[in-house]
Amino acid sequence: MRTTLKRGLGRGGVLNGSGQAVLPPGAASPIRFYRQPASRSRSRASLVGRIALWFGIACLVLVSGAAGGAYLYFHQSVAAVAADTPAVKRAARQLDVALPGHPAIALVLGYDHRSTDGSAPSRSDTVMLVRADPETDSISLLSFPRDMLVQIDCPGQAPTVGKLTWAYAYCGPQGSLRTIKGLTGLPINYLITVNFRGFRQIVDRLGGVWMDVDHRYFNDVRGPNGYESIDLQPGYRLLSGSQALDYVRFRHTDSDLYRVARQQQFVKAFKTQVHQSFAPLTLPKVVNAVTKNVEVAQGGGQKVDGRTVLSYALFAYGLPRGHVFQSRIEGFEGSADLTTATDNVTKAVETFTHPDVESPEKATAVALGEKLRQRVPPPRSTSITVLNGNGVSGSASTAGYLLARRAYQILTPPNGLPANAPSFDYFRTQIYFDPSRRGAELVATKVANLFGSAEVKRLPKQVAPLANGAMLTVVVGQTFHGSLTPAPIDETPAREKPNVVYAPNAALEHLRGLGRGLGFPLMVPTVIEKSSWTDSTVPVRKYWVDPDRRHKAIRLVYRMGSNEYWGVEMTDWTDAPVLADKSLTRRIKGRTYDLYYNGPKLHMVVLRTPHARYWVINTLLDRMSNETMLAIAKGLKPSGKVKG
């Protein structure tokens, strides 16, 4: 069978090439004890309102009591964050109206203006889209590197190509909004601008934020031509406002891609902490910081009201575990100027707008070799031959391209035959299924829903010679107008062999003597990612996690050959905030593991024992495969049973 899209599909259709190309639609000391700042006690205080996740990188948060005075305070506070400056008001005119019960998208712009900048314009260091979808009970994040080369769209000016951050510098939030809308083709309903001074204040007044720092971050070059000094030790720790800002903006030894990943990591960490431990006495301080440094605008020209805030707050608060999805634009090239193919942007937008909420379950089944419990074959197991049945040049090619974007396996007719149906008089699109293939009729119904007006039938004799053995044969009719209905893109990864090597000595030399007084057993990673070894700067760190000196931790830091870091955290803090948002739990060979996903990518595996937790944390960009992560976690052995 042919499994290529390089040949034309249907009458006059080609996917790539000249002339008739079919484009995508919408086109230091290695060991030290560390003492953390004070944490806030847990409270399940009454949550009447939060400005949901629309605060993006600072997660706008409002909490109030139920009494009349608090109610009034809440509404006054909401009014105070409404669009106020002329620049944001101008940008608001470009926003789309959010429809009740439908997904809504906000653009978050984090900007900075330092005293050394003088009269120079502010820069947008953070550009992030946040999408809330009530149909799938999910929130999606999509960040854009500030150094990404894009077509900048400023009102009244000719479009120009430059770094994304320049759009804000040239024409303020309106420029950033128009540029992102042009780049993604998405409607944007809300605009939130955040001054980074407010970022620091909000984090501090909330009591800090718990985050996992993957390796030591250090820079001591200061001054007008340098950067802010930074010195962060690795491990799970409470960051102050300044430390959190340094962490999410750091890029002295890596690139914008890692900074984007740290920003998304912060959003998830902040949401988890607010959900778990917001103290009501901090409300006035937090609100004061928000109202002075944040503006919120919505489509339709109306100011954001309390009911809107409350609806999104309750939505974000009630999300199922693991339903915050992070989308990334892949394939970037360059360092100072980042470029990527248009297809990579299109794919990221598609996964952002249609997250596969079942991806953690499916990815786990693949990694563990479990049989997927589903009657409908997944797209990767569904072969489709697409034929032109309406006589419109390129229609079969377009349909095939769109189905391939959904991970369906596209075939072409055998023996070089043209991908044309027996006739061009098909009105409705026909989805023919091979009755001899298990699940074919079920998946045919699923594919028919993508075309909207389509019929499902058994494969007829006159079409069978063109099917090339495909499970489905799609004959595109006159009702197809070049697009498919929205649906989640199947992101189930293919099974991979774990990329690991047996290397207990990498950790043993650093762990000797650290178990004394620890209070829980040390675990040794006996297998590690093949290109890895313990970091030469801070390979291991022993420290107190909390200020009351109740919980200790050991952090191992590994550096990969690609200059990325992953780690193993060991602690007797069994209910740390980060552990609350697990996606799945699996019992493997008598041990219990909690799995934490970023979409289909396994970001953290936690081995649970009665008195401790042992975390294996992926790199910031989740470079290690799911199978590699699980192999490392399963390879954790008590230090007394491992010989060097």
Side-chain angles (χ1 to χ4, degrees), residues 10-11 386-391 396 413 418-426 432 462-463 466 473-476:
R11 185 178 179 183
V386 185
L387 304 176
N388 190 324
N390 58 22
N420 293 326
S423 67
F424 292 136
D425 59 358
Y426 286 78
Y432 296 124
Q462 65 270 27
V463 178
L466 300 170
T473 302
V474 174
V475 178
V476 179

Side-chain angles (χ1 to χ4, degrees), residues 152-160 170-171 178:
I152 297 173
D153 183 5
C154 283
Q157 301 180 24
T160 182
Y170 289 166
C171 46
R178 291 167 63 107

Side-chain angles (χ1 to χ4, degrees), residues 14 73 139 238 264 308 346 373 377 422 467 509 518 590 638:
V14 291
Y73 180 61
I139 285 179
L238 187 68
Q264 293 192 346
T308 300
T346 301
R373 297 179 181 178
E509 60 178 301
L518 192 59

Side-chain angles (χ1 to χ4, degrees), residues 24-267:
S29 172
I31 304 173
R32 66 167 59 186
F33 279 82
Y34 188 81
R35 188 168 186 168
Q36 293 289 5
S39 63
R40 292 291 186 262
S41 62
R42 290 187 182 173
S43 172
R44 303 199 72 173
S46 133
L47 249 82
V48 175
R50 289 186 288 154
I51 300 184
L53 224 50
W54 294 144
F55 190 26
I57 198 58
C59 296
L60 286 177
V61 180
L62 288 174
V63 178
S64 66
Y71 177 84
L72 178 61
Y73 180 61
F74 169 73
H75 282 272
Q76 289 175 338
S77 301
V78 171
V81 298
D84 182 56
T85 62
V88 175
K89 287 182 177 180
R90 286 193 297 270
R93 303 188 190 110
Q94 308 291 321
L95 294 171
D96 301 274
V97 177
L99 300 177
H102 288 70
I105 299 176
L107 173 63
V108 180
L109 300 176
Y111 66 93
D112 189 19
H113 190 86
R114 306 175 187 177
S115 58
T116 55
D117 292 339
S119 59
S122 300
R123 299 175 292 268
S124 60
D125 275 11
T126 298
V127 181
M128 178 186 294
L129 290 177
V130 186
R131 180 179 183 270
D133 188 346
E135 295 182 2
T136 59
D137 280 335
S138 65
I139 285 179
S140 304
L141 310 175
L142 176 59
S143 296
F144 302 86
R146 52 168 281 171
D147 292 338
M148 178 182 182
L149 291 184
V150 297
Q151 180 170 287
I152 297 173
D153 183 5
C154 283
Q157 301 180 24
T160 182
V161 174
K163 294 183 179 183
L164 178 57
T165 188
W166 294 353
Y168 192 96
Y170 289 166
C171 46
Q174 191 174 10
S176 296
L177 175 62
R178 291 167 63 107
T179 297
I180 292 299
K181 290 183 72 172
L183 178 66
T184 64
L186 293 174
I188 298 177
N189 312 109
Y190 296 88
L191 173 66
I192 294 93
T193 62
V194 183
N195 187 328
F196 277 136
R197 179 184 61 184
F199 177 99
R200 291 190 293 266
Q201 291 178 355
I202 293 168
V203 173
D204 283 338
R205 292 176 184 183
L206 189 61
V209 60
W210 288 98
M211 294 194 66
D212 187 84
V213 179
D214 58 324
H215 68 97
R216 190 189 183 200
Y217 288 82
F218 179 78
N219 175 65
D220 59 356
V221 179
R222 303 194 67 179
N225 298 319
Y227 301 91
E228 294 294 328
S229 61
I230 179 174
D231 189 0
L232 293 177
Q233 295 293 330
Y236 187 65
R237 51 175 299 178
L238 187 68
L239 300 183
S240 67
S242 294
Q243 290 172 328
L245 186 58
D246 286 341
Y247 178 68
V248 300
R249 298 181 68 192
F250 184 92
R251 60 171 183 164
H252 308 293
T253 57
D254 51 34
S255 71
D256 241 8
L257 302 182
Y258 300 92
R259 178 155 68 167
V260 164
R262 285 189 288 269
Q263 290 172 357
Q264 293 192 346
Q265 179 190 10
F266 174 85
V267 171

Side-chain angles (χ1 to χ4, degrees), residues 251-483:
R251 60 171 183 164
H252 308 293
T253 57
D254 51 34
S255 71
D256 241 8
L257 302 182
Y258 300 92
R259 178 155 68 167
V260 164
R262 285 189 288 269
Q263 290 172 357
Q264 293 192 346
Q265 179 190 10
F266 174 85
V267 171
K268 293 187 71 174
F270 201 99
K271 173 195 174 289
T272 298
Q273 184 160 334
V274 168
H275 190 283
Q276 282 200 327
S277 57
F278 195 95
L281 293 179
T282 64
L283 169 65
K285 296 179 181 179
V286 173
V287 170
N288 183 264
V290 168
T291 56
K292 289 183 178 180
N293 298 283
V294 176
E295 290 184 77
V296 182
Q298 69 174 350
Q302 301 296 319
K303 289 186 176 181
V304 179
D305 60 27
R307 287 177 298 178
T308 300
V309 172
L310 183 58
S311 65
Y312 285 122
L314 295 176
F315 172 77
Y317 188 76
L319 282 180
R321 289 179 175 180
H323 272 227
V324 176
F325 295 90
Q326 300 172 226
S327 298
R328 296 192 183 111
I329 302 173
E330 304 287 354
F332 279 109
E333 297 179 353
S335 54
D337 297 329
L338 298 176
T339 60
T340 190
T342 302
D343 274 7
N344 292 330
V345 177
T346 301
K347 183 177 180 180
V349 170
E350 289 175 348
T351 58
F352 169 72
T353 53
H354 303 98
D356 185 1
V357 296
E358 298 177 352
S359 58
E361 186 79 41
K362 293 184 291 186
T364 299
V366 170
L368 295 177
E370 300 173 346
K371 187 175 181 179
L372 286 170
R373 297 179 181 178
Q374 55 183 16
R375 299 174 60 197
V376 181
R380 294 184 185 277
S381 301
T382 302
S383 55
I384 301 177
T385 296
V386 185
L387 304 176
N388 190 324
N390 58 22
V392 177
S393 178
S395 62
S397 293
T398 301
Y401 173 86
L402 295 173
L403 289 170
R405 297 289 297 185
R406 304 292 177 94
Y408 289 99
Q409 305 306 299
I410 306 302
L411 309 182
T412 57
N415 304 321
L417 292 173
N420 293 326
S423 67
F424 292 136
D425 59 358
Y426 286 78
F427 178 70
R428 296 183 67 186
T429 295
Q430 303 296 307
I431 313 297
Y432 296 124
F433 64 92
D434 183 347
S436 68
R437 306 286 292 275
R438 185 176 180 180
E441 186 173 3
L442 292 173
V443 75
T445 301
K446 183 178 179 180
V447 171
N449 291 334
L450 296 176
F451 285 89
S453 179
E455 296 178 333
V456 175
K457 298 179 181 178
R458 287 175 172 246
L459 182 66
K461 292 182 179 180
Q462 65 270 27
V463 178
L466 300 170
N468 198 13
M471 182 181 291
L472 305 181
T473 302
V474 174
V475 178
V476 179
Q478 297 173 27
T479 56
F480 175 67
H481 299 292
S483 64

